[in-house]
Amino acid sequence: MTPMTTEGENPRTPAPPAGSARRALVGRLSWGLADQAASSVSNFVVGIYVARSLGVTAFGVFSLAWVTYGVVLNVSRGLATDPLVVRFSGVPDASWRGAVARSTGTALGVGGALGTACLVAGLGLGGRVGPAFAALGVMLPGLLLQDAWRFSFFAAGAGRKAFVNDVVWGVALVPAMVVAARAGSVAAFVLAWGASATVAAGYGYVQSGIRPRMAQAREWLREQRDLGYRYLVENVSLSGASQLRAYGLGAIIGVAAVGAVRGAELLMGPFLAVLMGLSLVTVPEAARVLRQAPHRLGKFCLLLGGGQAAAALVWGSALLLVPGRFGEMVLGDVWHSASQLIVPITFSVAGAGLGTGAAAGLRALGAARRSLRCQLFASACYVSGGLGGAAAAGTVGSAWGVAAATISGSAVWWLQLRSALRERHRNLVPEVRTS
């Protein structure tokens, strides 16, 4: 009888020699960091340019479009690329190519459907916010397809291709930003950002030679429904919580508060680039650890989460030493309000970094039910802490509320990972019976 496996888990495969496995791991992590550095530099430049060019209120409008994109992106990842990474990392090429065709087709379909809804909503809203949302709706298919290529390449262990794709995005962004600056509107910057991503999405097809199969999206959703729909709810609860907090801040305090929070997040940008770069490869690597040396999974996740938390605290401490004149040079008028949020934002990011280690372990185990419960709890705390803090003490209170919520959520992630590892161990150890 074969041993029982945890939901969604791949069977164990022989481990390669320790030296070559370590070198391969370092190589994949390095490409993940390089890729996210390229992506984050592009996002950072766009954010800084909008903040300096249009002021804190217009930057708040841009930030509302940004967090909305984050929600849609997480819908696409939950349905399309998260199941791909969990189930098709390190598989034979033929299996990977077929899965990528269906997965990228699903991402493109999500972009088309939700992009249309966003366009209609934007046209109906009008005012300052409406044109930005309409522009986002037009650009969503290209944005989501470009992201799907990145995760597809990392699932295959080809992080270099993901890096090159993001570099193409960054290069295409330069002339697009020049045109947007002449228009001088938030919608123009959203269009420039999305159009350059669409160029990179087209290049992803050249790199892979795989044509996205939108007609097979329904087949993909059916095949991956045991993971995909749970990951959808999990991801949307995460990004939806950020969106609710942003909308709530705008309603309670004003749109300028949204810009201040986004400005503080930009100050954490270089570290967040590291955090997000690692997130591209942590689940595939945790899945490999589970297949090759399952007893090391807990230690791997602890080192991963603890290292990220420590690095966040170091970066935040360094930000406190930045002279005000330099901060104003970078963020313009946004600096004064954003600098007041450095300490709570640092604790928030440290808590998130600690939790990602446990989240990677739960994803590798395919424990979608447990990870969903964790994310729903964390998202509820995030919204209640962010908006409750805003009502009690303004923008700074909201930042501290989010910090407390993130640390509490991280504790729940680790408790669930410990339970999942114990459950897996019980299932693998044959029951001893006495007569």
Side-chain angles (χ1 to χ4, degrees), residues 26-299:
V26 171
R28 290 189 294 268
L29 289 175
S30 298
W31 282 119
L33 292 173
D35 169 74
Q36 188 57 45
S39 176
S40 294
V41 165
S42 298
N43 293 338
F44 184 76
V45 168
V46 171
I48 293 297
Y49 200 91
V50 175
R52 288 182 57 83
S53 301
L54 303 180
V56 66
T57 300
F59 188 54
V61 174
F62 181 83
S63 299
L64 290 176
W66 186 281
V67 296
T68 302
Y69 157 71
V71 174
V72 178
L73 180 66
N74 279 298
V75 171
S76 175
R77 287 179 177 176
L79 294 176
T81 52
D82 283 348
L84 176 78
V85 168
V86 170
R87 286 183 166 152
F88 294 92
S89 292
V91 300
D93 185 67
S95 178
W96 174 81
R97 292 180 70 84
V100 168
R102 299 192 299 277
S103 175
T104 53
T106 302
L108 198 56
V110 169
L114 296 185
T116 300
C118 197
L119 173 62
V120 172
L123 294 175
L125 283 172
R128 282 186 166 186
V129 177
F133 274 70
L136 177 63
V138 173
M139 293 292 106
L140 276 177
L143 284 163
L144 298 190
L145 180 58
Q146 192 275 337
D147 185 75
W149 287 127
R150 295 172 68 209
F151 279 82
S152 298
F153 292 141
F154 278 109
R160 180 180 61 84
K161 290 185 177 181
F163 169 74
V164 171
N165 192 276
D166 268 324
V167 169
V168 169
W169 185 359
V171 171
L173 186 62
V174 174
M177 288 285 286
V178 172
V179 175
R182 292 178 180 175
S185 68
V186 176
F189 283 106
V190 174
L191 288 171
W193 168 57
S196 53
T198 302
V199 171
Y203 184 63
Y205 168 73
V206 175
Q207 289 177 291
S208 64
I210 301 172
R211 183 164 63 89
R213 305 279 184 176
M214 287 184 61
Q216 296 181 12
R218 182 174 298 179
E219 177 186 350
W220 175 261
L221 294 174
R222 184 171 60 251
E223 291 173 353
Q224 310 302 327
R225 62 182 178 273
D226 59 326
L227 295 182
Y229 292 117
R230 290 193 182 103
Y231 289 157
L232 168 65
V233 176
E234 181 180 329
N235 290 355
V236 170
S237 69
L238 171 63
S239 54
S242 298
Q243 190 175 27
L244 287 174
R245 182 210 180 186
Y247 290 166
L249 275 178
I252 296 171
I253 306 173
V255 177
V258 183
V261 171
R262 177 61 185 155
E265 291 171 350
L266 283 174
L267 293 174
M268 295 294 295
F271 174 75
L272 289 174
V274 174
L275 181 65
M276 296 176 67
L278 289 173
S279 71
L280 292 170
V281 293
T282 50
V283 176
E285 292 308 321
R288 288 185 176 93
V289 171
L290 181 63
R291 288 196 300 269
Q292 297 169 1
H295 62 284
R296 296 178 182 170
L297 181 62
K299 181 179 179 181

Side-chain angles (χ1 to χ4, degrees), residues 398-425:
S398 177
W400 277 112
V402 166
T406 304
I407 294 171
S408 300
S410 178
V412 172
W413 278 104
W414 279 102
L415 289 172
Q416 286 294 321
L417 176 62
R418 184 178 67 173
S419 297
L421 289 172
R422 288 178 175 176
E423 179 182 354
R424 183 182 186 279
H425 179 72

Side-chain angles (χ1 to χ4, degrees), residues 318-369:
L319 286 177
L320 294 174
L321 303 177
V322 173
R325 183 178 302 176
F326 180 76
E328 291 175 359
M329 187 186 307
V330 175
L331 287 179
D333 294 340
V334 179
W335 164 256
H336 177 70
S337 53
S339 62
Q340 301 176 37
L341 309 180
I342 290 176
V343 174
I345 287 286
T346 297
F347 281 107
S348 179
V349 173
L354 183 62
T356 56
L362 287 175
R363 285 286 176 96
L365 288 166
R369 292 186 181 91

